[in-house]
Amino acid sequence: MTATTVATTTGTSVSTRTLLTAAVATTPVWALVSLAQVFTRDGFDLTRHPLSALATGSLGWIQIANFLVVGALMIAGSFGLRRVLSGKPGGTWAPRLLMVNGIGMLAAGVFVMDPADGFPVGTPAGMPAAMSWHSILHMASGSVSFIALAAAGFVLGRHFSRAGARGLAIASRFAGVAVIVGNGWAMTGGRAGSLTLAVGVTTAMAWISLVAARLRKSA
């Protein structure tokens, strides 16, 4: 092996690790920025208001930036995942689904939901009589993002099952179920639905970050 080949291989490996690091960073960034606002924004109640509502009001730019940064990190991470899983079970669809998830988050940051149910402070209680076009697009983007995230969990479950890693396969499928249950409960108007949605999505994102960290070690 020539020095040039070694340098090229090493550079590719470093690049792959960098991309996977982006996926690792998605959950800490999302959780820290969101939770900081949950506990400091006046009038916000996570049992009533979805994290997306933080993108409204004078400080909404913080959560908008959170959506955009985390979406970009997830897209970058999907390329790293594609490299390390190439030719393996789930190696095609897991990266694609994470890319769709990232694109959905970008769109959710661009198209902001309407103020509702008393947040930001001064907004009338209850939901608006009609949704704006950008709120409709936000909901659609979020739904696509959630579906892709849940599906990625199941695809990774298949990957780990084929690899004989039963525990990791179970955890991956649990992550997918967490998104479905959390979002499903919120969609039915269940009590504290916005909280269950946040927990379900963050749980799945955390698992993706852990998987990326695991794959990064072998990249």
Side-chain angles (χ1 to χ4, degrees):
M1 182 178 293
T2 66
T4 301
T5 302
V6 171
T8 301
T9 302
T10 301
T12 301
S13 180
V14 170
S15 177
T16 299
R17 289 198 297 270
T18 300
L19 291 171
L20 289 171
T21 299
V24 174
T26 54
T27 308
V29 173
W30 175 257
L32 288 175
V33 175
S34 295
L35 288 177
Q37 296 177 86
V38 167
F39 293 115
T40 59
R41 295 281 299 272
D42 290 339
F44 187 85
D45 180 354
L46 189 53
T47 65
R48 294 169 48 212
H49 307 124
L51 293 177
S52 291
L54 292 168
T56 61
S58 61
L59 295 176
W61 64 269
I62 299 174
Q63 190 67 350
I64 291 173
N66 197 20
F67 271 114
L68 297 178
V69 170
V70 173
L73 288 172
M74 188 65 83
I75 292 171
S78 72
F79 284 103
L81 204 70
R82 184 178 66 180
R83 290 184 180 182
V84 295
L85 295 183
S86 179
K88 301 176 182 178
T92 298
W93 279 103
R96 287 179 179 176
L97 289 166
L98 292 182
M99 179 177 286
V100 171
N101 173 256
I103 293 172
M105 294 194 76
L106 290 178
V110 172
F111 305 111
V112 180
M113 68 177 292
D114 297 322
D117 201 16
F119 185 82
V121 174
T123 302
M127 301 304 293
M131 287 197 299
S132 65
W133 63 270
H134 52 82
S135 185
I136 293 173
L137 288 177
H138 177 88
M139 299 302 176
S141 301
S143 295
V144 170
S145 182
F146 298 151
I147 291 171
L149 184 61
F154 293 116
V155 172
L156 287 173
R158 177 176 177 271
H159 165 77
F160 286 122
S161 288
R162 295 286 293 275
R166 185 170 180 271
L168 297 177
I170 292 173
S172 295
R173 292 183 177 114
F174 175 81
V177 170
V179 178
I180 294 172
V181 172
N183 187 46
W185 183 251
M187 292 292 289
T188 61
R191 183 179 178 83
S194 56
L195 175 60
T196 64
L197 173 60
V199 171
V201 171
T202 305
T203 296
M205 289 179 64
W207 179 244
I208 296 300
S209 290
L210 288 172
V211 169
R214 179 185 177 88
L215 294 173
R216 185 182 182 279
K217 292 181 180 180
S218 60

